[in-house]
Amino acid sequence: MEMSDSEDSEEPVAKKKKQQENAHLLNLKDENDSLKCQLEAYKNEVDLVKQESKNSVAEIEKRLKTTQQALQGMQQQLMNSNQQLKAGEAELAQLRQLKQNKTSEASGEKTPTKEEKQVETPSSSVTPVTDREARLIGLISTFLHVHPFGASVDYISSFLQRCEIVIRSSDIEDLLERFATLFKQELHGVGASIEKRWLFTGFKV
């Protein structure tokens, strides 16, 4: 049976249409594979950022703990030094009194009694630190420890704000000045660009 001319012309059209559909499906498959690869790359990047963030927090907490321990050790050393100073002052006062007694006996003068004369010795006391101040000192020490070239009060204030601590810049500067054995101020720059920076010196002997 012979095919008509219309049937002969329809066959290439259907074949071409099928080829176009196959090509379109291949393009869709390629796009789908590409999107899957991009999604996997984004997922890996997110996991990497999460891991880096976790490591960064752990490192800061570790340094904060080390700094707090160092601060406690320095406070204990300061208390021990004050106790030794008081003991030395008391011993010195006794030696002075003994020397004065011998001098008075040699000259025939009456030695003043303890009630008549007391040797005044300077008193020393440890600067009291509140829980809030101890936390601030620990955080600032950790922050400055990772900034060896120092940081301005505004920079420190910005860091504390990220830690959800509300404090004025003037109060931060007062705290740093009170603990001169832990923090030191230096000037950087010249002329109009001069800047005051604070450094952590707690580990320096």
Side-chain angles (χ1 to χ4, degrees):
M1 181 178 182
E2 296 182 358
M3 298 177 63
S4 64
D5 295 338
S6 60
E7 290 178 348
D8 292 339
S9 61
E10 287 177 357
E11 184 176 350
V13 172
K15 186 176 181 181
K16 184 177 180 181
K17 185 177 181 181
K18 185 176 182 181
Q19 290 177 347
Q20 290 176 346
E21 290 177 351
N22 290 337
H24 182 62
L25 289 175
L26 287 175
N27 290 334
L28 289 177
K29 184 179 179 181
D30 291 340
E31 290 180 3
N32 187 40
D33 292 340
S34 177
L35 289 174
K36 285 183 179 180
C37 292
Q38 292 180 18
L39 180 61
E40 187 67 23
Y42 289 144
K43 183 178 178 182
N44 293 336
E45 186 175 353
V46 170
D47 292 339
L48 180 62
V49 171
K50 286 182 178 179
Q51 185 63 33
E52 290 178 350
S53 176
K54 184 177 179 180
N55 293 338
S56 177
V57 171
E59 181 66 19
I60 290 177
E61 290 178 349
K62 181 179 178 181
R63 290 179 178 175
L64 176 58
K65 185 176 180 180
T66 301
T67 304
Q68 288 176 336
Q69 290 175 347
L71 178 60
Q72 292 174 356
M74 285 185 285
Q75 288 178 333
Q76 185 62 42
Q77 290 178 0
L78 181 59
M79 293 176 64
N80 294 338
S81 298
N82 287 331
Q83 292 176 354
Q84 294 175 2
L85 177 61
K86 289 181 180 180
E89 289 171 348
E91 185 177 354
L92 179 60
Q94 292 177 356
L95 292 174
R96 288 176 178 173
Q97 184 66 37
L98 181 60
K99 181 179 179 181
Q100 186 176 3
N101 292 343
K102 289 182 178 180
T103 303
S104 300
E105 290 174 359
S107 61
E109 297 177 356
K110 182 182 177 181
T111 303
T113 62
K114 185 178 180 180
E115 291 75 12
E116 294 173 345
K117 182 178 181 181
Q118 295 181 348
V119 179
E120 297 183 356
T121 57
S123 60
S124 301
S125 60
V126 179
T127 303
V129 180
T130 64
D131 292 340
R132 173 181 169 82
E133 289 176 339
R135 186 187 179 199
L136 286 171
I137 291 172
L139 289 172
I140 295 173
S141 300
T142 302
F143 178 72
L144 293 179
H145 184 59
V146 297
H147 291 80
F149 298 105
S152 65
V153 172
D154 291 337
Y155 194 10
I156 297 172
S157 177
S158 176
F159 165 72
L160 293 177
Q161 287 178 1
R162 290 199 299 270
C163 296
E164 298 183 354
I165 295 178
V166 180
I167 184 173
R168 295 179 301 182
S169 298
S170 58
D171 293 336
I172 296 174
E173 196 161 11
D174 290 341
L175 183 66
L176 297 175
E177 290 175 351
R178 279 177 55 199
F179 294 90
T181 57
L182 297 177
F183 308 104
K184 181 179 69 172
Q185 188 183 73
E186 290 186 352
L187 299 178
H188 290 261
V190 292
S193 62
I194 197 167
E195 181 184 23
K196 294 180 180 179
R197 296 183 185 177
W198 285 92
L199 303 173
F200 176 66
T201 59
F203 293 140
K204 294 184 179 179
V205 180

